[in-house]
Amino acid sequence: MKGSLLLMSTVMTIIDLVSSCPLKCLCYRFSKTVDCRNRGLTEVPSHLPADTQILLLSNNHIQKISQHAFTDTLSLKILDLSNNSVSGLLPNTFKELQNLQILNLTKNFIEYVDNKTFSSLPHLKELDISSNSILSLPETLGNNTRRITLLSLKHNKLEKVDRLLLDSLPNLKVVLFKGNFWQCNCQVFGLKLWLESFLYRGDAGTENHQESQEKQWRN
Ligand SMILES: *[C@@H]1O[C@H](CO)[C@@H](O)[C@H](O)[C@H]1NC(C)=O
Ligand SMILES: *[C@@H]1O[C@H](CO)[C@@H](O)[C@H](O)[C@H]1NC(C)=O
Ligand SMILES: *[C@@H]1O[C@H](CO)[C@@H](O)[C@H](O)[C@H]1NC(C)=O
Ligand SMILES: *[C@@H]1O[C@H](CO)[C@@H](O)[C@H](O)[C@H]1NC(C)=O
């Protein structure tokens, strides 16, 4: 009897641990949202509720994201890491987030994007990597990013974007380019052709018409 009580309390403790809310965050069970904004966090909190779908981590000081940061929150649909101090992303960080739809990494210090970083996010629709220090993008983001409809590359240090990369995103509706170091040389020609066919396709949102035209004017 004593033994089974002990066992029960151990099990309860474990359950408690698994489903507990990190000290500095607010957890909303019904909306499966964890709100850790503006908490001075330096890393992604652990022991997040396993069924979390929305994780808000903006306005913190997160520098490094461990490879296992999100391995317990496989239901994530929205991950907001905007306005942090992330300088690099490991190729596997987001690997298991099969349900992720929106990934916001704006306002960080990212310089480099590996071709595997976003390659296993089959449901990703919006990727915001604006306001970083990205110098170049890989030739492709992978085979699994075909659902992306919005890609924001604004305010980085890009000199070019491979046409292959844009061609590998057939569902793009909004693409934001402004505030980069575009080089006016032959390499930009592929981008120009892509933009023309993109605009011609006519399924583009007004926002990207404006942005694309802006891009064309700027060149
Ligand atoms: C970014 O986060 C810092 C706190 O880390 C905050 O003081 C600042 O207002 C935030 N910036 C924006 C634009 O929200
Ligand atoms: C990313 O977050 C910023 C605020 O931190 C917001 O202005 C921007 O619209 C978000 N991007 C997307 C794609 O939701
Ligand atoms: C990713 O990039 C590496 C080198 O940067 C290259 O060898 C590899 O083929 C690329 N993989 C894919 C799937 O494009
Ligand atoms: C994408 O798929 C094609 C064919 O299905 C394959 O040849 C290619 O290596 C794949 N690329 C990546 C980045 O996985």
Side-chain angles (χ1 to χ4, degrees):
M1 185 64 188
K2 220 176 177 182
S4 69
L5 261 180
L6 186 69
L7 180 68
M8 209 164 111
S9 79
T10 311
V11 170
M12 298 284 276
T13 312
I14 291 172
I15 290 175
D16 217 41
L17 204 66
V18 168
S19 62
S20 68
C21 187
L23 203 58
K24 292 198 168 179
C25 306
L26 298 169
C27 299
Y28 301 94
R29 251 187 209 185
F30 186 68
S31 56
K32 300 182 168 48
T33 298
V34 177
D35 183 354
C36 316
R37 291 175 293 177
N38 299 291
R39 295 295 158 140
L41 296 174
T42 54
E43 53 186 36
V44 177
S46 45
H47 303 304
L48 295 162
D51 62 351
T52 305
Q53 291 185 357
I54 301 177
L55 177 55
L56 307 174
L57 290 165
S58 57
N59 308 342
N60 283 295
H61 307 292
I62 297 170
Q63 289 180 18
K64 288 211 170 91
I65 305 175
S66 115
Q67 194 168 329
H68 305 290
F70 305 113
T71 47
D72 293 329
T73 47
L74 302 181
S75 307
L76 276 187
K77 288 186 176 163
I78 300 178
L79 175 55
D80 186 355
L81 280 158
S82 61
N83 191 24
N84 274 281
S85 311
V86 178
S87 56
L89 295 169
L90 296 168
N92 291 332
T93 301
F94 306 116
K95 194 174 164 208
E96 286 163 86
L97 299 180
Q98 299 290 303
N99 299 302
L100 195 65
Q101 294 176 10
I102 300 178
L103 177 54
N104 198 335
L105 286 160
T106 190
K107 288 200 175 140
N108 278 281
F109 303 121
I110 300 164
E111 291 180 359
Y112 171 76
V113 174
D114 189 274
N115 59 13
K116 292 207 186 71
T117 304
F118 305 118
S119 71
S120 44
L121 302 172
H123 288 99
L124 193 64
K125 286 190 196 142
E126 300 188 1
L127 176 59
D128 191 342
I129 46 176
S130 59
S131 300
N132 277 280
S133 305
I134 302 170
L135 294 159
S136 70
L137 288 170
E139 242 177 41
T140 138
L141 297 179
N143 267 348
N144 257 330
T145 45
R146 298 178 62 85
R147 294 211 185 167
I148 291 182
T149 58
L150 180 146
L151 176 64
S152 182
L153 304 172
K154 288 191 291 192
H155 304 294
N156 276 289
K157 298 180 177 170
L158 294 165
E159 294 189 349
K160 65 181 178 102
V161 170
D162 223 295
R163 190 174 172 188
L164 278 177
L165 182 131
L166 297 168
D167 281 339
S168 71
L169 304 172
N171 291 306
L172 262 190
K173 296 222 171 357
V174 178
V175 54
L176 307 173
F177 283 127
K178 71 173 174 187
N180 277 285
F181 295 170
W182 303 114
Q183 292 289 308
C184 279
N185 56 24
C186 310
Q187 285 177 328
V188 101
F189 192 65
L191 183 60
K192 179 177 178 288
L193 292 178
W194 181 87
L195 278 169
E196 280 165 6
S197 72
F198 181 65
L199 292 175
Y200 182 73
R201 236 162 55 200
D203 56 0
T206 47
E207 195 181 359
N208 85 63
H209 274 277
Q210 267 170 16
E211 294 270 350
S212 309
Q213 270 158 19
E214 202 174 310
K215 165 77 185 80
Q216 284 181 313
W217 286 117
R218 288 163 64 90
N219 282 320

